[in-house]
Amino acid sequence: MTDPIAPGAPLIEAHGLSYARNDEPIFGPVDLQVEAGEALLVEGDNGSGKTTLLRVLAGLLSPQAGSIRYPGSAQSGLGPRGQAALLGHALAHKAELGCLENLEFAARLFGRRPGAEPETCLAEAGLAGYEDQPARSLSAGQRKRLALARLRLTAPRLWLVDEPFANLDLAGIALVNDLVERHLHGGGAALITSHGAYATGAYRTRVLHLGPRR
Ligand SMILES: Nc1ncnc2c1ncn2[C@@H]1O[C@H](COP(=O)(O)OP(=O)(O)OP(=O)(O)O)[C@@H](O)[C@H]1O
């Protein structure tokens, strides 16, 4: 389940992917491939379909056309839905549970990255000292940090992260880049949506633009 994946191995491939809502095209057709060790930055204006694309890739919405393949899913034993972790606008914390309990709960649901410990992931996300604090009493930026700690702790190698820089201070933006960089160096990959206002970190990044070219 936790075999190392060689850098360069594709973690997701999509061909001719498009999505329409009530016959209105939202995005596509789109071809993409994301390999272990790289990030794909999904850019586009407000409403261009970035969030929708992530939700389609996560299996929460069905595409109108096209195919999605997770090449590692057969040998991982996790199945296609277990290959990707989505960090969306709704962070899905358990409001009454403490930060550490939230992480332990997520690890039971999604599996744990080999060697990852909840306390360490919490500290890496800048939340040391918040172990027992209920998620409901965190600030928006702290909630985002808890979600990043969850990504870092859990098993999926592909991160689908929607506007990860929103609500974060400058240190938080650097933190996102640091966590993504470590994840990629460990054989992971990430799709990251952005309006293009933030510089990504020092990791291998390609860009997919949704919507009309400017
Ligand atoms: N639940 C929904 N019901 C109806 N229309 C929706 C829904 N969610 C999104 N849309 C529409 O789908 C289109 C794409 O939305 P989406 O959220 O994917 O764009 P986005 O590129 O992520 O936008 P933003 O940069 O503002 O976050 C928009 O026109 C939006 O109005």
Side-chain angles (χ1 to χ4, degrees), residues 63-81:
Q64 182 197 33
S67 63
I68 305 169
R69 216 169 71 83
Y70 287 92
S73 65
Q75 80 259 28
S76 75
L78 293 172
R81 292 290 285 273

Side-chain angles (χ1 to χ4, degrees), residues 5-138:
I5 279 200
L11 296 193
I12 187 170
E13 294 171 341
H15 297 288
L17 204 60
S18 64
Y19 184 83
R21 188 176 276 115
N22 302 325
D23 291 330
E24 187 191 337
I26 302 295
F27 72 77
V30 163
D31 291 328
L32 63 86
Q33 174 175 308
V34 191
E35 299 174 354
E38 73 173 357
L40 183 68
L41 193 63
V42 182
E43 287 187 348
D45 294 340
N46 289 133
S48 58
K50 303 180 296 296
T51 296
T52 306
L53 172 63
L54 259 54
R55 291 174 63 78
V56 167
L57 294 176
L60 300 177
L61 296 172
S62 298
Q64 182 197 33
S67 63
I68 305 169
R69 216 169 71 83
Y70 287 92
S73 65
Q75 80 259 28
S76 75
L78 293 172
R81 292 290 285 273
Q83 298 302 303
L86 175 67
L87 194 166
H89 293 297
L91 298 175
H93 298 317
K94 300 287 167 206
E96 298 305 320
L97 295 186
C99 291
L100 215 46
E101 289 173 313
N102 261 285
L103 293 186
E104 286 159 354
F105 181 77
R108 282 197 295 278
L109 269 187
F110 304 112
R112 190 187 289 204
R113 181 172 55 83
E117 293 297 335
E119 293 86 350
T120 313
C121 294
L122 202 61
E124 279 180 357
L127 291 177
Y130 288 82
E131 287 78 4
D132 298 326
Q133 183 142 337
R136 66 173 152 69
S137 66
L138 298 176

Side-chain angles (χ1 to χ4, degrees), residues 103 118 121-123 125 127 144-154 179:
L103 293 186
C121 294
L122 202 61
L127 291 177
K144 178 65 72 68
R145 285 167 180 261
L146 181 57
L148 289 164
R150 186 179 65 217
L151 278 186
R152 194 72 187 120
L153 176 68
T154 51
L179 293 180

